[in-house]
Coordinates of all heavy atoms in Angstrom, one line a residue:
M57 N 0.9 -1.2 0.0 CA 0.0 0.0 0.0 C 0.9 1.3 0.0 O 0.5 2.2 -0.7 CB -0.9 0.0 1.2 CG -1.9 1.0 1.2 SD -3.1 0.9 0.0 CE -4.2 2.1 0.4
K58 N 1.9 1.2 0.9 CA 2.8 2.4 0.9 C 3.5 2.5 -0.4 O 3.7 3.7 -0.9 CB 3.9 2.3 2.0 CG 3.3 2.5 3.4 CD 4.5 2.5 4.4 CE 4.1 2.6 5.7 NZ 5.1 2.6 6.6
R59 N 3.8 1.5 -1.1 CA 4.6 1.5 -2.4 C 3.6 2.2 -3.5 O 4.1 2.9 -4.2 CB 5.0 0.1 -2.8 CG 6.0 0.1 -3.9 CD 6.5 -1.2 -4.1 NE 7.6 -1.1 -4.9 CZ 8.5 -2.1 -5.2 NH1 8.3 -3.3 -4.6 NH2 9.5 -1.9 -6.0
L60 N 2.4 1.8 -3.4 CA 1.5 2.3 -4.5 C 1.3 3.9 -4.2 O 1.2 4.6 -5.2 CB 0.1 1.6 -4.3 CG -1.1 2.1 -5.2 CD1 -0.7 1.9 -6.6 CD2 -2.3 1.5 -4.8
F61 N 1.1 4.2 -2.9 CA 0.9 5.6 -2.7 C 2.2 6.5 -3.0 O 2.1 7.5 -3.6 CB 0.7 5.8 -1.1 CG 0.6 7.3 -0.7 CD1 -0.5 8.0 -1.0 CD2 1.6 7.8 0.0 CE1 -0.6 9.3 -0.6 CE2 1.5 9.1 0.4 CZ 0.3 9.9 0.1
F62 N 3.4 5.9 -2.8 CA 4.6 6.6 -3.2 C 4.7 6.7 -4.7 O 5.0 7.8 -5.1 CB 5.8 5.8 -2.7 CG 7.0 6.4 -3.0 CD1 7.6 7.6 -2.3 CD2 7.8 5.8 -3.9 CE1 8.8 8.2 -2.7 CE2 9.1 6.4 -4.3 CZ 9.5 7.6 -3.7
S63 N 4.4 5.6 -5.4 CA 4.5 5.7 -6.9 C 3.5 6.7 -7.4 O 3.8 7.4 -8.4 CB 4.3 4.3 -7.5 OG 3.0 3.8 -7.2
V64 N 2.3 6.7 -7.0 CA 1.3 7.7 -7.4 C 1.7 9.1 -7.1 O 1.5 10.0 -7.9 CB -0.1 7.4 -6.8 CG1 -1.3 8.4 -7.1 CG2 -0.7 6.0 -7.4
S65 N 2.2 9.3 -5.8 CA 2.6 10.7 -5.5 C 3.8 11.2 -6.3 O 3.8 12.3 -6.7 CB 3.0 10.6 -4.1 OG 2.0 10.3 -3.2
L66 N 4.6 10.2 -6.7 CA 5.8 10.6 -7.5 C 5.4 10.9 -8.9 O 5.8 11.8 -9.5 CB 6.9 9.4 -7.5 CG 8.1 9.8 -8.2 CD1 8.9 11.0 -7.5 CD2 9.1 8.5 -8.2
S67 N 4.4 10.2 -9.4 CA 3.9 10.4 -10.8 C 3.2 11.8 -10.8 O 3.4 12.5 -11.7 CB 2.9 9.3 -11.2 OG 3.5 8.1 -11.1
V68 N 2.4 12.1 -9.8 CA 1.7 13.4 -9.8 C 2.8 14.5 -9.6 O 2.7 15.6 -10.3 CB 0.7 13.4 -8.6 CG1 0.1 14.9 -8.4 CG2 -0.5 12.5 -8.9
F69 N 3.8 14.4 -8.8 CA 4.8 15.4 -8.7 C 5.5 15.6 -10.0 O 5.8 16.7 -10.4 CB 5.8 15.0 -7.6 CG 6.9 16.0 -7.4 CD1 6.6 17.2 -6.9 CD2 8.2 15.7 -7.8 CE1 7.6 18.2 -6.6 CE2 9.2 16.6 -7.6 CZ 9.0 17.8 -7.1
I70 N 5.9 14.5 -10.7 CA 6.6 14.6 -12.0 C 5.7 15.3 -13.0 O 6.1 16.2 -13.8 CB 7.1 13.2 -12.5 CG1 8.2 12.8 -11.5 CG2 7.6 13.3 -13.9 CD1 8.7 11.3 -11.8
A71 N 4.4 14.9 -13.1 CA 3.5 15.7 -14.0 C 3.4 17.1 -13.8 O 3.4 17.9 -14.6 CB 2.2 14.9 -13.9
F72 N 3.4 17.5 -12.5 CA 3.2 18.8 -12.1 C 4.5 19.7 -12.5 O 4.5 20.7 -13.0 CB 3.0 18.9 -10.6 CG 2.9 20.4 -10.0 CD1 1.8 21.2 -10.3 CD2 4.0 20.9 -9.3 CE1 1.7 22.4 -9.8 CE2 3.9 22.2 -8.9 CZ 2.7 22.9 -9.1
C73 N 5.7 19.1 -12.3 CA 6.9 19.7 -12.7 C 6.9 19.8 -14.2 O 7.6 20.8 -14.7 CB 8.1 18.8 -12.2 SG 8.4 18.9 -10.4
L74 N 6.5 18.9 -15.0 CA 6.5 19.0 -16.4 C 5.5 20.1 -16.9 O 5.8 20.8 -17.8 CB 6.2 17.7 -17.1 CG 7.2 16.6 -17.0 CD1 6.7 15.3 -17.6 CD2 8.4 17.1 -17.8
V75 N 4.4 20.2 -16.3 CA 3.5 21.4 -16.6 C 4.0 22.7 -16.3 O 4.1 23.6 -17.1 CB 2.1 21.1 -15.8 CG1 1.3 22.3 -15.9 CG2 1.4 19.9 -16.4
I76 N 4.8 22.8 -15.2 CA 5.4 24.0 -14.8 C 6.6 24.3 -15.7 O 6.6 25.6 -16.2 CB 5.8 24.1 -13.4 CG1 4.7 23.9 -12.3 CG2 6.7 25.3 -13.0 CD1 3.8 25.0 -12.4
A77 N 7.3 23.4 -16.1 CA 8.5 23.7 -16.9 C 8.2 24.0 -18.3 O 8.9 24.6 -19.0 CB 9.4 22.4 -16.8
T78 N 7.1 23.5 -18.8 CA 6.7 23.7 -20.3 C 5.7 24.8 -20.4 O 5.2 24.9 -21.6 CB 6.2 22.4 -20.9 OG1 5.1 22.0 -20.1 CG2 7.2 21.4 -20.9
S79 N 5.4 25.5 -19.4 CA 4.3 26.5 -19.5 C 4.9 27.8 -20.3 O 6.0 28.1 -20.1 CB 3.8 26.9 -18.2 OG 4.7 27.5 -17.5
R80 N 4.0 28.5 -21.0 CA 4.5 29.7 -21.7 C 3.9 30.8 -20.9 O 2.9 30.8 -20.3 CB 3.8 29.7 -23.1 CG 4.4 28.5 -24.0 CD 3.7 28.7 -25.4 NE 4.2 27.6 -26.3 CZ 3.7 27.4 -27.5 NH1 2.9 28.2 -28.0 NH2 4.2 26.4 -28.2
P81 N 4.5 32.0 -21.1 CA 4.1 33.1 -20.3 C 2.8 33.6 -21.1 O 2.6 33.6 -22.2 CB 5.2 34.2 -20.5 CG 6.1 33.7 -21.6 CD 5.9 32.1 -21.7
A82 N 1.8 34.0 -20.2 CA 0.7 34.6 -20.6 C 0.7 36.0 -20.7 O 0.8 36.7 -19.7 CB -0.6 34.1 -19.8
Y83 N 0.7 36.7 -21.9 CA 0.8 38.1 -22.0 C -0.5 38.6 -21.9 O -1.1 39.2 -22.9 CB 1.5 38.3 -23.4 CG 2.9 37.9 -23.4 CD1 3.2 36.9 -24.3 CD2 3.9 38.5 -22.7 CE1 4.5 36.4 -24.3 CE2 5.2 38.0 -22.8 CZ 5.5 37.0 -23.5 OH 6.8 36.5 -23.6
G84 N -1.1 38.6 -20.8 CA -2.5 39.1 -20.6 C -2.4 40.5 -19.9 O -1.4 40.9 -19.6
Y85 N -3.6 40.9 -19.6 CA -3.6 42.2 -19.0 C -4.8 42.1 -17.9 O -5.7 41.2 -18.0 CB -4.0 43.3 -19.9 CG -5.4 43.2 -20.6 CD1 -6.4 43.9 -20.1 CD2 -5.6 42.2 -21.7 CE1 -7.6 43.9 -20.8 CE2 -6.8 42.2 -22.3 CZ -7.9 43.0 -21.9 OH -9.0 42.9 -22.4
V86 N -4.8 43.1 -17.0 CA -5.9 43.1 -16.1 C -6.9 44.1 -16.6 O -6.5 45.3 -16.9 CB -5.4 43.6 -14.7 CG1 -6.5 43.7 -13.7 CG2 -4.3 42.5 -14.2
D87 N -8.2 43.9 -16.7 CA -9.2 44.7 -17.2 C -9.3 45.8 -16.3 O -9.2 45.8 -15.1 CB -10.5 43.9 -17.3 CG -11.6 44.7 -17.9 OD1 -11.2 45.4 -18.9 OD2 -12.7 44.6 -17.4
P88 N -9.5 47.1 -16.8 CA -9.6 48.3 -15.9 C -10.8 48.2 -15.0 O -10.8 48.8 -13.9 CB -9.8 49.4 -16.9 CG -9.2 48.9 -18.3 CD -9.3 47.5 -18.3
G89 N -11.8 47.4 -15.4 CA -13.0 47.3 -14.6 C -12.8 46.4 -13.3 O -13.6 46.3 -12.3
S90 N -11.7 45.7 -13.2 CA -11.3 44.7 -12.2 C -11.2 45.4 -10.8 O -11.6 44.9 -9.8 CB -10.2 43.9 -12.4 OG -10.3 43.1 -13.7
G91 N -10.5 46.5 -10.9 CA -10.3 47.3 -9.7 C -11.6 47.8 -9.0 O -11.9 47.7 -7.9
F92 N -12.5 48.3 -9.9 CA -13.8 48.7 -9.5 C -14.6 47.6 -8.9 O -15.4 47.8 -8.0 CB -14.6 49.4 -10.7 CG -15.8 50.0 -10.2 CD1 -15.9 51.2 -9.3 CD2 -17.1 49.5 -10.7 CE1 -17.1 51.7 -8.9 CE2 -18.2 50.0 -10.2 CZ -18.3 51.1 -9.3
L93 N -14.5 46.5 -9.4 CA -15.2 45.3 -8.9 C -14.9 45.1 -7.5 O -15.6 44.6 -6.7 CB -15.0 44.0 -9.8 CG -15.7 42.9 -9.5 CD1 -17.3 43.1 -9.7 CD2 -15.3 41.7 -10.5
A94 N -13.5 45.1 -7.3 CA -13.1 44.8 -5.9 C -13.6 45.9 -5.0 O -14.0 45.6 -3.8 CB -11.5 44.9 -5.9
V95 N -13.6 47.2 -5.4 CA -14.1 48.3 -4.6 C -15.6 48.0 -4.3 O -16.1 48.3 -3.2 CB -13.8 49.6 -5.1 CG1 -14.6 50.8 -4.5 CG2 -12.3 49.9 -5.2
Q96 N -16.3 47.6 -5.3 CA -17.8 47.4 -5.2 C -18.1 46.3 -4.3 O -19.0 46.3 -3.5 CB -18.4 47.1 -6.5 CG -19.9 46.9 -6.5 CD -20.4 46.5 -7.9 OE1 -19.7 46.4 -8.8 NE2 -21.7 46.4 -7.9
T97 N -17.2 45.2 -4.3 CA -17.3 44.1 -3.3 C -17.2 44.6 -1.9 O -18.0 44.2 -1.0 CB -16.4 43.1 -3.7 OG1 -16.6 42.6 -5.0 CG2 -16.6 41.9 -2.8
V98 N -16.2 45.3 -1.6 CA -15.9 45.8 -0.3 C -17.0 46.7 0.2 O -17.5 46.7 1.4 CB -14.5 46.5 -0.2 CG1 -14.3 47.2 1.1 CG2 -13.4 45.6 -0.4
A99 N -17.6 47.6 -0.6 CA -18.6 48.6 -0.3 C -19.9 47.7 0.0 O -20.6 48.0 0.8 CB -18.9 49.5 -1.4
S100 N -20.2 46.6 -0.8 CA -21.3 45.8 -0.6 C -21.3 45.1 0.7 O -22.3 45.0 1.5 CB -21.5 44.8 -1.7 OG -21.6 45.4 -3.0
V101 N -20.1 44.6 1.1 CA -20.0 43.9 2.3 C -20.1 44.9 3.5 O -20.8 44.6 4.5 CB -18.5 43.2 2.4 CG1 -18.3 42.8 3.9 CG2 -18.6 42.1 1.5
A102 N -19.6 46.1 3.4 CA -19.8 47.2 4.4 C -21.2 47.6 4.6 O -21.8 47.7 5.8 CB -18.9 48.4 4.2
A103 N -21.9 47.7 3.5 CA -23.3 48.1 3.5 C -24.2 46.9 4.2 O -25.0 47.2 4.9 CB -23.8 48.4 2.1
A104 N -23.9 45.8 3.9 CA -24.6 44.6 4.4 C -24.4 44.5 5.9 O -25.2 44.3 6.8 CB -24.3 43.3 3.8
F105 N -23.2 44.8 6.3 CA -22.7 44.7 7.7 C -23.4 45.9 8.5 O -23.9 45.7 9.6 CB -21.2 44.9 7.9 CG -20.8 44.7 9.2 CD1 -20.7 43.5 9.9 CD2 -20.3 45.9 10.0 CE1 -20.2 43.4 11.2 CE2 -19.8 45.8 11.2 CZ -19.7 44.5 11.9
G106 N -23.5 47.0 7.9 CA -24.2 48.1 8.5 C -25.8 47.9 8.6 O -26.3 48.3 9.6
Y107 N -26.3 47.3 7.6 CA -27.7 46.9 7.6 C -28.0 45.9 8.7 O -29.0 46.1 9.4 CB -28.1 46.4 6.3 CG -29.6 46.1 6.2 CD1 -30.6 47.2 6.2 CD2 -30.1 44.9 6.3 CE1 -31.9 46.8 6.2 CE2 -31.5 44.5 6.2 CZ -32.4 45.5 6.2 OH -33.7 45.3 6.3
F108 N -27.2 45.0 8.9 CA -27.3 43.9 9.9 C -27.3 44.5 11.2 O -28.0 44.1 12.1 CB -26.3 42.8 9.7 CG -26.5 41.7 10.6 CD1 -27.6 40.8 10.4 CD2 -25.5 41.5 11.6 CE1 -27.8 39.7 11.2 CE2 -25.7 40.3 12.4 CZ -26.9 39.5 12.2
L109 N -26.3 45.5 11.5 CA -26.2 46.0 12.8 C -26.8 47.4 13.0 O -26.3 48.2 13.8 CB -24.6 46.1 13.1 CG -24.0 44.7 13.2 CD1 -22.6 45.0 13.4 CD2 -24.6 43.9 14.3
R110 N -27.9 47.7 12.2 CA -28.3 49.0 12.1 C -29.0 49.5 13.5 O -28.9 50.7 13.8 CB -29.5 49.1 11.1 CG -30.7 48.3 11.4 CD -31.7 48.3 10.1 NE -32.8 47.5 10.3 CZ -32.9 46.2 10.2 NH1 -31.9 45.6 9.7 NH2 -34.0 45.6 10.4
R111 N -29.5 48.6 14.3 CA -30.0 49.0 15.6 C -28.9 49.4 16.5 O -29.0 50.3 17.4 CB -30.9 47.9 16.2 CG -32.1 47.7 15.4 CD -32.9 46.6 16.1 NE -34.1 46.3 15.4 CZ -35.3 46.7 15.6 NH1 -35.6 47.4 16.7 NH2 -36.3 46.3 14.9
R112 N -27.8 48.7 16.5 CA -26.7 49.0 17.3 C -26.0 50.4 16.9 O -25.8 51.2 17.7 CB -25.6 48.0 17.4 CG -25.9 46.8 18.1 CD -24.8 45.8 18.1 NE -25.2 44.5 18.7 CZ -24.8 44.0 19.8 NH1 -23.8 44.6 20.4 NH2 -25.1 42.9 20.3
I113 N -26.0 50.6 15.6 CA -25.4 51.9 15.1 C -26.4 53.0 15.5 O -26.0 54.0 15.9 CB -25.2 51.7 13.6 CG1 -24.1 50.7 13.3 CG2 -24.9 53.1 13.0 CD1 -24.0 50.4 11.8
K114 N -27.7 52.8 15.4 CA -28.6 53.8 15.8 C -28.5 54.2 17.3 O -28.7 55.3 17.7 CB -30.0 53.4 15.4 CG -31.1 54.3 15.7 CD -32.5 53.8 15.2 CE -33.6 54.8 15.5 NZ -34.9 54.2 15.2
S115 N -28.4 53.2 18.1 CA -28.2 53.4 19.6 C -27.0 54.2 19.9 O -27.1 55.0 20.9 CB -28.3 52.1 20.3 OG -27.2 51.4 20.1
L116 N -26.0 54.1 19.1 CA -24.8 54.9 19.3 C -25.0 56.4 19.2 O -24.4 57.2 19.8 CB -23.7 54.5 18.4 CG -23.0 53.1 18.6 CD1 -22.1 52.8 17.6 CD2 -22.3 53.1 20.0
F117 N -25.8 56.8 18.1 CA -26.1 58.2 17.9 C -27.3 58.7 18.5 O -27.7 59.9 18.2 CB -26.1 58.3 16.4 CG -24.8 58.0 15.7 CD1 -24.6 56.9 14.9 CD2 -23.7 58.8 15.8 CE1 -23.5 56.5 14.3 CE2 -22.6 58.6 15.2 CZ -22.4 57.4 14.5
S118 N -28.1 57.9 19.2 CA -29.4 58.4 19.8 C -29.0 59.1 21.1 O -28.1 58.7 21.9 CB -30.5 57.4 19.8 OG -30.0 56.4 20.7
S119 N -29.9 59.9 21.7 CA -29.7 60.4 22.9 C -30.5 59.8 24.1 O -30.5 60.1 25.2 CB -30.2 61.9 23.0 OG -31.6 62.1 22.7
E120 N -31.2 58.6 23.7 CA -31.9 57.9 24.6 C -31.0 57.1 25.5 O -29.8 56.8 25.1 CB -32.8 56.9 23.9 CG -33.9 57.6 23.1 CD -34.7 56.6 22.3 OE1 -34.6 55.4 22.4 OE2 -35.5 57.2 21.4
P121 N -31.3 56.6 26.7 CA -30.4 55.7 27.4 C -30.0 54.5 26.6 O -30.9 53.9 25.9 CB -31.3 55.4 28.6 CG -32.5 56.2 28.5 CD -32.7 56.7 27.3
K122 N -28.7 54.1 26.9 CA -28.3 53.0 26.0 C -28.8 51.7 26.8 O -28.4 51.4 27.8 CB -26.7 53.1 25.9 CG -26.2 54.3 25.2 CD -24.8 54.2 25.1 CE -24.3 55.4 24.2 NZ -22.9 55.4 24.0
D123 N -29.4 50.9 26.0 CA -29.7 49.5 26.4 C -29.0 48.7 25.6 O -28.5 48.8 24.5 CB -31.2 49.3 26.2 CG -32.1 50.1 27.1 OD1 -31.6 50.4 28.2 OD2 -33.3 50.5 26.8
D124 N -28.7 47.5 26.0 CA -28.1 46.4 25.3 C -29.0 46.0 24.2 O -30.1 45.4 24.4 CB -27.7 45.2 26.2 CG -26.5 45.5 27.0 OD1 -25.7 46.4 26.7 OD2 -26.3 44.9 28.1
V125 N -28.6 46.2 22.9 CA -29.5 45.8 21.9 C -29.0 44.5 21.4 O -27.9 44.2 21.0 CB -29.4 46.8 20.7 CG1 -30.1 46.4 19.5 CG2 -29.7 48.2 21.2
L126 N -30.0 43.5 21.4 CA -29.6 42.1 21.0 C -30.2 41.9 19.6 O -31.1 42.5 19.1 CB -30.3 41.1 22.0 CG -29.8 41.3 23.5 CD1 -30.5 40.3 24.3 CD2 -28.4 41.0 23.6
I127 N -29.7 40.9 19.0 CA -30.1 40.5 17.7 C -31.5 40.0 17.8 O -32.3 40.2 16.9 CB -29.2 39.4 17.1 CG1 -27.7 40.0 16.8 CG2 -29.7 38.8 15.8 CD1 -26.7 39.1 16.3
S128 N -31.9 39.4 18.8 CA -33.2 38.9 19.0 C -34.2 40.0 18.9 O -35.4 39.8 18.8 CB -33.4 38.0 20.3 OG -33.2 38.8 21.4
D129 N -33.8 41.3 19.3 CA -34.7 42.5 19.2 C -35.1 42.7 17.8 O -36.2 43.3 17.5 CB -34.1 43.7 19.8 CG -33.8 43.6 21.3 OD1 -34.4 42.7 21.9 OD2 -32.9 44.3 21.8
A130 N -34.4 42.3 16.8 CA -34.8 42.4 15.5 C -35.9 41.6 15.0 O -36.5 41.9 14.0 CB -33.5 42.3 14.5
I131 N -36.2 40.5 15.8 CA -37.3 39.6 15.4 C -38.6 40.1 16.1 O -38.5 40.4 17.2 CB -36.9 38.1 15.9 CG1 -35.6 37.7 15.2 CG2 -38.1 37.2 15.5 CD1 -35.1 36.4 15.8
P132 N -39.6 40.3 15.3 CA -40.9 40.7 15.9 C -41.4 39.7 16.9 O -41.1 38.6 16.9 CB -41.8 40.8 14.7 CG -41.0 40.9 13.5 CD -39.7 40.2 13.8
K133 N -42.0 40.3 17.9 CA -42.5 39.5 19.0 C -43.5 38.3 18.6 O -43.5 37.2 19.2 CB -43.3 40.4 20.0 CG -42.5 41.5 20.7 CD -41.3 41.0 21.5 CE -40.5 42.1 22.1 NZ -39.4 41.7 22.8
A134 N -44.4 38.6 17.6 CA -45.2 37.5 17.1 C -44.5 36.3 16.7 O -44.8 35.2 16.9 CB -46.1 38.0 16.0
E135 N -43.3 36.5 15.9 CA -42.5 35.5 15.4 C -41.8 34.8 16.5 O -41.6 33.6 16.5 CB -41.5 36.0 14.4 CG -42.1 36.4 13.1 CD -41.1 36.8 12.1 OE1 -39.8 36.7 12.3 OE2 -41.4 37.6 11.2
Q136 N -41.4 35.5 17.6 CA -40.8 34.9 18.8 C -41.7 33.9 19.4 O -41.3 32.8 19.9 CB -40.2 35.9 19.8 CG -39.1 36.7 19.3 CD -38.6 37.7 20.2 OE1 -39.2 37.9 21.3 NE2 -37.4 38.4 19.9
R137 N -42.9 34.3 19.5 CA -43.9 33.5 20.2 C -44.3 32.3 19.4 O -44.5 31.2 19.9 CB -45.3 34.3 20.5 CG -45.1 35.2 21.8 CD -46.5 35.9 22.1 NE -46.2 37.2 21.8 CZ -46.9 38.0 21.0 NH1 -48.0 37.5 20.4 NH2 -46.7 39.3 20.9
A138 N -44.3 32.5 18.1 CA -44.6 31.3 17.2 C -43.5 30.3 17.2 O -43.7 29.2 17.0 CB -44.9 31.9 15.8
A139 N -42.2 30.8 17.4 CA -41.1 29.8 17.4 C -41.0 28.9 18.7 O -40.5 28.0 18.6 CB -39.8 30.7 17.3
K140 N -41.7 29.5 19.7 CA -41.7 28.7 21.0 C -42.7 27.7 21.0 O -43.1 26.8 20.7 CB -41.9 29.7 22.1 CG -40.8 30.6 22.5 CD -41.2 31.3 23.7 CE -40.1 32.5 24.0 NZ -40.4 33.3 25.0

């Protein structure tokens, strides 16, 4: 069993080395829109994070007494009763 594993591993390693040694350079380019796609992804994640934590963010800027805002507060009371 060890001998079979060793021979398969060696074969895969040799094939990988041959692929690397015979590869040609790819004279490609990065599309100008790729950078904007990355910025859009980061902005979307930030917006989703803000929407998810909107009650906590609102409590930071309100003048009301600060209560611990839990994620369970976002679920309406009727749904909480139905879940029990």
